[in-house]
Amino acid sequence: MKTRLVIFDFDGVIADTFSITARIWRQYAKKTKIEVAQDDNFFRKFFELDWRLSADKWKIDKDDFIRFYNEYYKKNNPAIKIFPGIKKVLDTLSRDYILAVATNNKVKKIIPRLEEFEIKNHFQVIVGVDECEYKPSPEMLLKIIQNLKISPNQSVFIGDMDGDIIAGRQAKLKKIIAVTYGFHSKERLIDADAIVDTPEEIIEAVK
């Protein structure tokens, strides 16, 4: 069936948040005296889509980490940028498809970012962990297609982590596209239907 809906992850697909996230985890490791490698490749292997699974690897107090994470953002207000080219991709795709966001972030946190980047109006539905289980649960993907009354086999999902692929498979979506410029490297994304290295390649991969 013809594709009608394209669902985007936010972190690692639209917004370039890997470096900031890795920096926070490095600083938390230093605070709690956990020895970790400093290179990005370590975190590309370490990070899981559901951050709680990453926390379990270090056996850390999740509430303490959340406090540290929120305090870091409050104190430093780190600048977040969208990936070069992604706005043009959204402009192009929105002419032919319905667009949505499924994020393991809170909607109330990313809406100001989408407004800041002047791309919020591209998305008809934005769903996050405010109201759904963390991916790789398919709940938020299913919620989006149900709200829009669109069939799974008319829906494409674009993510950057292996858990996104699992979520898309469990939701029985038509196609899962993985990007290599986000959190996970290509070797963790091999089960996707298509793998792209740049935002611009998404347009062709959706077809």
Side-chain angles (χ1 to χ4, degrees):
M1 297 180 72
K2 182 180 178 181
T3 299
R4 295 179 57 203
L5 170 65
V6 181
I7 306 170
F8 284 79
D9 184 21
F10 179 72
D11 293 282
V13 176
I14 294 173
D16 185 1
T17 55
F18 173 82
S19 295
I20 294 168
T21 305
R23 189 182 313 137
I24 294 172
W25 281 83
R26 283 190 189 100
Q27 292 192 11
Y28 188 80
K30 183 177 180 180
K31 168 183 176 284
T32 53
K33 296 181 170 53
I34 297 172
E35 293 187 10
V36 297
Q38 294 300 305
D39 63 293
D40 286 348
N41 285 333
F42 168 83
F43 284 101
R44 294 195 188 283
K45 295 175 181 178
F46 169 77
F47 283 141
E48 300 296 340
L49 182 56
D50 182 343
W51 73 271
R52 297 170 299 183
L53 299 178
S54 301
D56 287 341
K57 292 180 180 181
W58 283 357
K59 298 180 173 59
I60 59 176
D61 183 313
K62 296 181 180 68
D63 290 334
D64 184 59
F65 178 79
I66 284 293
R67 283 192 294 271
F68 182 87
Y69 185 94
N70 290 335
E71 286 170 5
Y72 179 92
Y73 262 86
K74 184 176 180 179
K75 180 180 179 180
N76 297 282
N77 190 27
I80 293 176
K81 297 180 180 180
I82 56 175
F83 288 103
I86 196 68
K87 189 175 189 300
K88 185 176 180 180
V89 170
L90 297 173
D91 290 341
T92 301
L93 291 177
S94 63
R95 298 183 197 129
D96 299 312
Y97 307 99
I98 297 169
L99 305 186
V101 172
T103 175
N104 272 11
N105 213 320
K106 291 184 177 180
V107 172
K108 66 180 182 181
K109 288 187 176 181
I110 72 162
I111 282 183
R113 299 293 187 182
L114 296 174
E115 291 173 339
E116 174 189 348
F117 304 142
E118 299 181 344
I119 56 175
K120 178 179 177 291
N121 290 341
H122 285 303
F123 302 107
Q124 290 197 22
V125 178
I126 302 169
V127 176
V129 294
D130 319 58
E131 52 187 313
C132 290
E133 288 293 320
Y134 283 87
K135 294 173 291 177
S137 164
E139 183 182 2
M140 63 179 71
L141 298 176
L142 294 172
K143 185 179 181 68
I144 289 170
I145 62 177
Q146 288 164 3
N147 284 354
L148 293 170
K149 296 180 171 57
I150 294 176
S151 169
N153 60 11
Q154 293 177 299
S155 305
V156 172
F157 179 44
I158 304 165
D160 67 307
M161 301 180 79
D162 53 13
D164 289 315
I165 300 170
I166 294 169
R169 289 276 179 257
Q170 291 182 342
K172 302 186 186 310
L173 301 189
K174 177 181 180 180
K175 181 186 285 188
I176 299 114
I177 300 168
V179 306
T180 61
Y181 57 79
F183 276 66
H184 280 176
S185 53
K186 185 174 288 187
E187 57 263 30
R188 294 191 67 174
L189 304 171
I190 57 173
D191 290 331
D193 297 307
I195 299 176
V196 300
D197 298 320
T198 67
E200 291 80 4
E201 294 175 58
I202 291 172
I203 297 171
E204 191 63 31
V206 165
K207 295 179 181 178

